[in-house]
Structures are given as C-alpha cells and as structure tokens.
C-alpha cells in the first residue's frame, strides 16, 4: 500500500468514525467468503456499516478523531479487524450474537457505546442487553402514559356513573310528558276523522 493509499484509507475510516456514537471492532477471521458476505448483508439490512480495516490505519484514524480518546481499544487491534458503525447501541452486538449461533466467529474485540468502552468478547452479553434509544423512549412513553390512562379511565368512569344517575332520574321526568303525549294525538285523531269525511 502506497503512502497516498494509506492517507485515503485513513480518511475513509475517519469519515466513518466522525460523529459515530456506536463503534464496534470485531474479528471476522475464519469466516469464508460466503459467510463473510452473509454477515455483511445482514449488517446492511440492520443499518450497520461494516469495513474490514488494517489495525495500524484504524489506530491512526482514531488518534485523529477529536473529542473521543479511543486509546482503550488499541490493545485489541491484532489480527483481522472489522469496524462496525451503527446508530442503535445494541444492534452490532445482537448481529454478532445471532451470527454466532451457527459460527464460532465473529468475535467482539472492543466497542465504544454510550461514551463507555467495552474491551473483550466477554462483554458481548452486556452490549446485547443495552437498550436502544428507541426502546428507552418507548418505555418512558409507556410509563408516562400509564398514569394518564388511569386518570382518563377514572374520568370516563365518573362521567359514565354521572350519566347513569342522570338516566335514572330522567325517566321519571320523561314519563309525565309521555303520559300527556298519547292524549293529544287521540284528540287530534278524532278531529281529523270528521275532516276526512
């Protein structure tokens, strides 16, 4: 790889890392071309960017990113490395875990998620259990809606009870006009009959 090619490669990695909140580095070594392709396809479907990178270039790119010190991850940059960038915190971990139901790899080397570093494959389960932003928002909305739903339900029950009481009182009032109403039509009907003759 020429110096210019390295500069281009580092810039591509930096572009991926810029503003990334979820960064995983995994080991895909041992996956044949078909399995590797399948892994990339599944990642693409889940909106996870996967790029196989050279460790030295990845480290140089990370060193140039401002605002985040990725130094804790550098010790894991050995052998084959694939950079995984996602929007959802646990998406790459779930993908790795699902893929490992059939395969021995990929293995998690390290990750930077929610401003915390996870080093080593033993952190995979912890990363899988991290709730995504959407899941957390959904839970919060559910918690907020619960008391509101109780209040609305209580108000509806109160208004239904009030309506039921009003209906109980109303028939007595309605019965009086109903008793008068039949008399009036009878008088009219007798008047109408002679008019028809």
């Amino acid at each position: 790889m020429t110096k210019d090619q390295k500069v281009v490669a580092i810039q591509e990695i930096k572009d991926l890392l810029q503003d990334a909140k979820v960064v995983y580095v995994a080991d895909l070594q041992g996956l044949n071309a078909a399995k590797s392709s399948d892994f990339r396809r599944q990642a693409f479907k889940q909106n996870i960017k996967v790029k196989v990178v050279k460790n030295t270039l990845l480290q140089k790119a990370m060193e140039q990113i401002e605002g985040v010190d990725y130094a804790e991850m550098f010790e894991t940059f050995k052998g084959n490395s694939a950079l995984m960038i996602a929007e959802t915190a646990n998406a790459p971990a779930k993908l790795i875990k699902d893929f490992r139901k059939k395969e021995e790899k990929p293995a998690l080397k390290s990750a930077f998620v929610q401003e915390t570093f996870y080093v080593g494959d033993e952190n995979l389960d912890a990363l899988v259990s991290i709730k995504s932003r959407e899941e957390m928002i959904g839970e919060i909305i559910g918690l907020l809606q619960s008391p509101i739903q109780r209040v609305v339900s209580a108000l509806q029950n109160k208004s239904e009870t009030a309506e039921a009481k009003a209906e109980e009182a109303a028939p007595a009032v309605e019965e009086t006009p109903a008793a008068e109403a039949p008399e009036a039509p009878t008088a009219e009907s007798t008047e109408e009959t002679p008019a028809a003759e």
Side-chain angles (χ1 to χ4, degrees):
M1 193 177 236
T2 67
K3 189 176 181 181
D4 289 342
Q5 288 173 323
K6 286 180 182 177
V7 169
V8 170
I10 289 170
Q11 189 57 49
E12 284 177 3
I13 297 168
K14 278 175 61 180
D15 290 344
L16 280 173
L17 290 170
Q18 204 64 51
D19 303 321
K21 302 279 184 255
V22 178
V23 178
Y24 282 64
V25 178
D27 178 5
L28 302 181
Q29 194 167 4
L31 294 180
N32 63 27
K35 289 172 184 171
S36 181
S37 182
D38 183 35
F39 182 77
R40 287 172 182 269
R41 200 173 309 108
Q42 288 182 36
F44 180 77
K45 285 179 188 173
Q46 295 178 38
N47 203 22
I48 302 168
K49 294 174 188 162
V50 177
K51 182 173 181 63
V52 175
V53 292
K54 288 190 175 287
N55 293 315
T56 53
L57 300 182
L58 176 58
Q59 184 170 333
K60 284 181 181 177
M62 285 182 158
E63 287 169 348
Q64 293 176 23
I65 298 292
E66 291 179 21
V68 182
D69 181 8
Y70 289 103
E72 282 188 56
M73 298 173 79
F74 296 165
E75 68 186 59
T76 66
F77 297 174
K78 297 175 180 81
N80 182 305
S81 292
L83 180 63
M84 299 173 74
I85 307 290
E87 293 291 320
T88 308
N90 60 5
K94 284 182 176 179
L95 175 62
I96 290 170
K97 190 161 185 157
D98 286 346
F99 209 79
R100 285 217 321 232
K101 288 176 183 173
K102 298 178 220 157
E103 304 298 326
E104 201 174 302
K105 299 278 179 158
L108 175 70
K109 289 184 172 189
S110 54
F112 174 70
V113 179
Q114 297 175 346
E115 298 181 13
T116 305
F117 289 97
Y118 299 84
V119 178
D121 194 60
E122 65 276 2
N123 290 300
L124 189 62
D125 288 332
L127 286 163
V128 167
S129 65
I130 289 177
K131 293 195 184 321
S132 70
R133 183 172 179 262
E134 292 75 21
E135 289 169 331
M136 288 175 73
I137 289 171
E139 282 184 10
I140 291 168
I141 289 171
L143 290 170
L144 291 173
Q145 282 180 338
S146 182
I148 292 169
Q149 286 172 337
R150 284 194 211 118
V151 169
V152 169
S153 176
L155 289 173
Q156 284 175 339
N157 287 341
K158 258 190 174 175
S159 66
E160 287 171 11
T161 311
E163 285 173 19
K165 285 180 182 175
E167 285 174 12
E168 285 173 14
V173 177
E174 287 175 16
E175 284 174 20
T176 316
E180 290 171 10
E183 289 175 17
T186 356
E188 285 173 5
S189 60
T190 49
E191 287 172 19
E192 284 176 19
T193 316
E197 291 173 7

